[in-house]
Amino acid sequence: MSRPPQDSLHTAAFVTPAGADWLASASASPRGVQALWAQSPTAAVTLPCGTAFDVISMDALFGRQVVSRLWSDGPGTGPVAAQGGRVMLFAVPGAAQRLPALLGWEEWGAAAPPLLCYGRGDAVTVPPLFPPDPGPPPPGAAEHAAPESGARESGARESAARESAPAPSPRWLVAPDVRAPWLPGPEVLLWACVRAARATGDNLGGTAVTSAPAMFPG
């Protein structure tokens, strides 16, 4: 296992061939996964957890705070993805089982937004090796409202454009780039989650984000 990445922040959006080998190693058929990616590198693939990695999924805002804390004051992160309004941190196998128990003992554990922990027996869809081409902007996107239309018409058009815009595609925030990336363990993730929760609580005047303990399905 490679050493913690605290000395260099890897934020590549593209998975390297070595990183693809590591992701494929989680599958029962690595060659099949590699063949799929060779044919379509923009395809998202569902991989099992619990062997090469576990995945801890967090609310996007809280997840970014945890990632920032890990990089600014901690050892860094392993691969990190964004998908469906959540941040997915890849962790050592077993972390999905241990982290909820550790958080349950922490005073600030209940202040963390609910986490989704994927370990042995679970599977996650990972972003493609390369982000898909966003394509050309929709027709009329560059047009401006006529002066006489006023701010109301312009605002209505912008609101409609936002509603019709497609959801962000799954993407890598920190893409895997080696065959054996360093992955945070449950203790490191606990440290980052507690500090992110405390910072959020301090910003809210000392009020916890939630009043009930977080739920950890799976």
Side-chain angles (χ1 to χ4, degrees):
M1 193 70 67
S2 59
R3 59 181 180 173
Q6 65 265 31
D7 294 332
S8 59
L9 174 57
H10 300 291
T11 56
F14 309 110
V15 180
T16 66
D21 288 343
W22 172 71
L23 287 170
S25 72
S27 172
S29 178
R31 290 186 178 180
V33 173
Q34 293 282 24
L36 173 62
W37 276 331
Q39 183 177 6
S40 179
T42 59
V45 174
T46 300
L47 297 173
C49 300
T51 53
F53 53 78
D54 282 1
V55 171
I56 311 299
S57 174
M58 307 176 180
D59 167 81
L61 179 58
F62 184 73
R64 288 179 180 274
Q65 292 173 337
V66 169
V67 170
S68 176
R69 182 69 64 170
L70 284 167
W71 278 109
S72 62
D73 300 325
T77 69
V80 181
Q83 182 168 258
R86 299 184 70 84
V87 169
M88 301 164 53
L89 280 81
F90 286 67
V92 298
Q97 182 178 3
R98 286 277 295 149
L99 180 58
L102 292 174
L103 273 173
W105 285 95
E106 282 289 339
E107 177 184 358
W108 281 90
L115 306 183
L116 301 178
C117 301
Y118 300 97
R120 185 172 295 276
D122 300 319
V124 296
T125 299
V126 301
L129 303 185
F130 302 96
D133 186 350
E143 294 179 0
H144 297 283
E148 61 271 15
S149 64
R152 181 183 305 174
E153 192 172 320
S154 177
R157 181 163 51 251
E158 291 176 0
S159 177
R162 285 194 299 268
E163 291 178 0
S164 62
S169 301
R171 66 191 189 282
W172 291 104
L173 302 179
V174 182
D177 58 356
V178 294
R179 282 188 172 84
W182 180 85
L183 300 174
E187 293 81 7
V188 171
L189 292 172
L190 172 69
W191 172 87
C193 285
V194 168
R195 277 153 184 77
R198 290 178 62 183
T200 302
D202 291 342
N203 291 337
L204 295 176
T207 302
V209 177
T210 59
S211 58
M215 300 296 293
F216 301 93

